[in-house]
């Protein structure tokens, strides 16, 4: 679990990394492509010139989509979209490394590459395998790679992970065109390897907190703007509306919606739900806990201890009658349940629903006298049960990564055919009209 100290450390780390990534990548793209002058005046090499032309075409398309004809307006739009591209590249790199750090901590990725950084087992083996790519003193070393081949190793790893998560590790906007200085990459990897963050890499809420902490500066700036009488522009809506929901709120909502549906399903099929065994015990212990709290035997803010996984799945359930029509219309199987979060953000509701659904899949199989493996459960949940929508593609990146992590943690060999996560491309004044209507991750 993410400890309070690690959570505070994570918040400070993400803020500091964000500031440096945005600054360093922004400076690097201006310097490498000599954006202060025209392409003709830049005297770039062939490869760099081709990349700059691709970047310029991307910027021009977005400026043209907003009907930027006035020179001053065009320049302002161009700067805004370049800043947006830098922010997307910075956030994508951070999200990639955070997910890799999770996979390594859960022993789902071996050998480690991000854990330990340049001293990691994966990089040491890479140096032995490809010394010409990693030794800067060797004239055969790849030209310009000041990371001693570490960035190249990361690219190989990202390309492999793109097979499962193309929305995060594949081509994301113009991210591949934006250079990351070696010192910036080194600092990023080193900061994520902080021992004080160790508990973060095995907690399923960390990805969501990373997204929250990344957006906090934008949200604070907008609050200051509103307080000063300013108006939120269409392209600013995303950072203002994204807020992370605490785990206990999500669990309460899920246990009293998905949990209630499950009890209706059990009654429909004549099954005795496991919850029926634990709910009376939980209520009796709550009564006793309230008595002890009122008597001053326990602190007012102390939480009642929960015993075992079954209690954990039902600890917030509020006992209530099961309506006859709800029982009659209950789904025939957990597989046919559809859970949609229409503003999923980093996917926190979906991630926690995954855990509850896993228990329900196992219980249903037992009631039916069937057997079911963890891989089948993981793949079925992602392919059939969970659906999410968000206006921010970066949120979808995080949600996809979080669900992928849950599936792999349950079954290392799980490979769902699809993730039902979409980011509708709304015309918010910062996207060209010919962009695809939906960003669909596998």
């Amino acid at each position: 679990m993410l400890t309070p100290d690690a959570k505070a450390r994570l918040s400070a780390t993400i803020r500091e990394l964000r500031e440096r990534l945005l600054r360093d990548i922004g400076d690097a793209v201006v310097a490498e492509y000599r954006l202060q002058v025209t392409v003709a005046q830049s005297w770039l090499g062939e490869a760099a010139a081709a990349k700059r032309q691709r970047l310029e075409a991307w910027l021009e398309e977005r400026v043209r989509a907003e009907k930027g004809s006035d020179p001053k307006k065009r320049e302002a739009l161009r700067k805004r979209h370049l800043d947006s591209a830098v922010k997307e590249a910075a956030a994508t790199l951070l999200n990639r490394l955070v997910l890799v750090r999770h996979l390594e901590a859960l022993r789902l990725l071996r050998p480690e590459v991000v854990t330990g950084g340049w001293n990691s087992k994966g990089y040491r083996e890479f140096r032995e395998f490809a010394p010409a790519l990693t030794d800067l003193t060797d004239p055969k070393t790849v030209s310009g790679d000041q990371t001693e081949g570490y960035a190249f190793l990361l690219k190989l790893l990202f390309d492999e992970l793109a097979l499962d998560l193309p929305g995060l590790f594949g081509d994301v906007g113009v991210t591949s065109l934006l250079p990351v200085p070696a010192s910036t990459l080194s600092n990023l990897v080193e900061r994520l390897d902080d021992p004080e963050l160790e508990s973060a890499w095995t907690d399923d809420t960390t990805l969501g907190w990373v997204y929250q902490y990344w957006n906090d500066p934008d949200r604070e700036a907008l609050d200051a703007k509103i307080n000063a009488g300013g108006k939120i522009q269409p392209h600013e809506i995303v950072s203002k509306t994204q807020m992370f929901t605490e785990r206990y709120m999500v669990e309460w909502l899920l246990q009293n919606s998905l949990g209630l549906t499950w009890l209706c399903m059990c009654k429909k099929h004549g099954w005795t739900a496991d919850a029926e065994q634990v709910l009376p015990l939980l209520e009796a212990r709550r009564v006793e806990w309230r008595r002890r709290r009122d008597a001053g035997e326990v602190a007012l803010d102390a939480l009642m201890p929960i015993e075992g996984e079954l209690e954990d799945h039902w600890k917030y359930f509020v006992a209530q009658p099961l309506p006859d029509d709800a029982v009659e219309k209950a789904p025939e199987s957990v597989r046919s349940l559809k859970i949609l979060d229409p503003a999923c953000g980093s996917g926190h509701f979906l991630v926690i629903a995954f855990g509850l659904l896993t228990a329900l899949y196992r219980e249903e199989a037992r009631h039916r006298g069937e057997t079911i493996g963890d891989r089948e459960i993981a793949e079925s949940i992602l392919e059939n049960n969970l659906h999410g929508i968000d206006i921010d593609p970066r949120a979808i990146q995080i949600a996809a990564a979080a669900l992928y992590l849950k599936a792999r943690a349950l079954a290392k060999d799980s490979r769902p055919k699809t993730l039902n996560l979409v980011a509708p491309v709304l015309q918010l004044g910062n996207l060209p009209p010919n962009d695809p209507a939906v960003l669909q991750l596998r």
Side-chain angles (χ1 to χ4, degrees):
M1 296 292 290
L2 185 61
T3 66
D5 288 344
K7 190 175 176 182
R9 184 72 167 185
L10 183 66
S11 175
T13 299
I14 297 303
R15 278 178 171 268
E16 292 165 9
L17 288 174
R18 170 194 158 110
E19 182 178 354
R20 176 160 184 176
L21 283 167
L22 295 181
R23 182 188 67 241
D24 290 2
I25 295 177
D27 290 346
V29 70
V30 171
E32 180 158 326
Y33 295 135
R34 301 172 190 170
L35 296 183
Q36 306 93 329
V37 298
T38 65
V39 176
Q41 296 171 326
S42 63
W43 294 98
L44 294 171
E46 183 178 351
K51 286 184 177 181
R52 173 167 173 177
Q53 288 171 351
R54 287 173 57 196
L55 180 60
E56 294 283 1
W58 183 86
L59 290 169
E60 177 60 28
E61 184 180 23
R62 275 142 183 79
V63 170
R64 187 168 58 250
E66 295 192 50
K67 299 179 174 59
S69 55
D70 177 79
K72 288 186 177 180
K73 181 180 180 181
R74 285 181 58 82
E75 187 59 31
L77 289 173
R78 187 177 186 279
K79 182 181 185 306
R80 196 185 86 209
H81 287 300
L82 180 59
D83 290 344
S84 177
V86 169
K87 183 180 290 186
E88 182 175 55
T92 298
L93 176 60
L94 176 63
N95 292 341
R96 286 171 174 176
L97 293 178
V98 165
L99 180 60
V100 171
R101 193 65 179 77
H102 269 293
L103 290 169
E104 292 175 348
L106 295 172
R107 299 185 176 277
L108 297 172
L109 191 62
R110 285 291 185 269
E112 298 94 338
V113 173
V114 176
T115 305
W118 274 252
N119 293 317
S120 64
K121 182 179 180 181
Y123 181 60
R124 292 199 307 270
E125 292 180 358
F126 183 67
R127 289 180 68 94
E128 294 175 3
F129 178 75
L133 296 176
T134 60
D135 185 359
L136 286 177
T137 65
D138 188 330
K140 297 179 182 179
T141 299
V142 176
S143 175
D145 187 357
Q146 297 301 309
T147 69
E148 301 177 84
Y150 188 79
F152 184 70
L153 175 60
L154 283 179
K155 183 181 184 306
L156 295 177
L157 176 60
F158 294 166
D159 287 346
E160 181 180 349
L161 290 171
L163 298 175
D164 289 329
L165 282 175
L168 176 57
F169 291 98
D171 291 331
V172 178
V174 290
T175 291
S176 63
L177 301 178
L178 305 188
V180 180
S183 59
T184 307
L185 178 62
S186 176
N187 176 259
L188 173 56
V189 172
E190 182 179 324
R191 294 297 300 277
L192 293 180
D193 205 33
D194 184 346
E196 292 187 33
L197 294 177
E198 193 64 32
S199 67
W201 310 128
T202 52
D203 189 291
D204 60 7
T205 67
T206 294
L207 283 160
W209 284 117
V210 167
Y211 181 65
Q212 169 88 1
Y213 297 145
W214 176 272
N215 284 332
D216 277 346
D218 287 336
R219 190 162 32 252
E220 292 162 4
L222 282 174
D223 287 341
K225 178 180 179 180
I226 294 169
N227 291 335
K231 294 177 63 179
I232 297 180
Q233 299 301 313
H235 65 273
E236 297 174 322
I237 291 175
V238 168
S239 57
K240 180 59 182 171
T241 57
Q242 295 288 3
M243 293 295 291
F244 191 77
T245 309
E246 293 282 359
R247 178 185 287 273
Y248 77 91
M249 300 179 190
V250 179
E251 291 180 334
W252 191 96
L253 289 166
L254 283 170
Q255 290 174 21
N256 288 280
S257 55
L258 175 57
L260 182 64
T261 300
W262 169 248
L263 293 180
C264 291
M265 290 172 59
C266 287
K267 185 174 181 180
K268 178 178 183 177
H269 291 289
W271 301 332
T272 300
D274 291 351
E276 294 182 31
Q277 306 170 26
V278 75
L279 288 174
L281 298 176
L282 274 172
E283 184 55 33
R285 289 174 55 213
R286 287 193 193 101
V287 171
E288 174 62 15
W289 187 258
R290 294 188 193 105
R291 184 200 66 76
R292 294 182 61 197
R293 184 181 59 196
D294 293 343
E297 297 175 12
V298 296
L300 291 176
D301 59 350
L303 298 177
M304 185 182 79
I306 297 299
E307 300 175 359
E309 183 179 347
L310 183 58
E311 280 196 4
D312 191 51
H313 288 315
W314 294 95
K315 61 188 176 187
Y316 295 120
F317 184 76
V318 179
Q320 54 194 287
L322 302 180
D324 292 338
D325 61 336
V327 173
E328 180 185 351
K329 297 176 182 178
E332 292 297 321
S333 170
V334 174
R335 293 177 185 271
S336 59
L337 279 168
K338 303 295 181 185
I339 299 173
L340 170 66
D341 187 342
C344 69
S346 57
H348 196 34
F349 275 84
L350 303 178
V351 165
I352 294 179
F354 184 102
L356 181 53
L357 283 167
T358 298
L360 300 185
Y361 265 84
R362 290 170 176 161
E363 185 177 343
E364 179 179 307
R366 193 173 69 252
H367 286 311
R368 294 183 184 278
E370 301 171 350
T371 58
I372 188 169
D374 287 344
R375 175 175 180 174
E376 184 180 351
I377 292 174
E379 293 177 351
S380 182
I381 289 174
L382 296 191
E383 293 172 7
N384 300 314
N385 300 122
L386 300 181
H387 301 73
I389 304 172
D390 200 273
I391 62 174
D392 184 4
R394 285 178 299 162
I396 293 297
Q397 276 188 351
I398 289 282
L403 290 175
Y404 172 80
L405 195 63
K406 290 293 289 186
R408 292 291 307 279
L410 179 61
K412 292 182 180 181
D413 58 347
S414 63
R415 289 294 185 275
K417 296 176 182 178
T418 184
L419 293 178
N420 300 303
L421 301 169
V422 296
V425 178
L426 306 178
Q427 294 306 310
L428 299 178
N430 64 338
L431 291 170
N434 59 341
D435 269 22
V438 169
L439 168 65
Q440 174 73 56
L441 303 181
R442 281 187 58 194

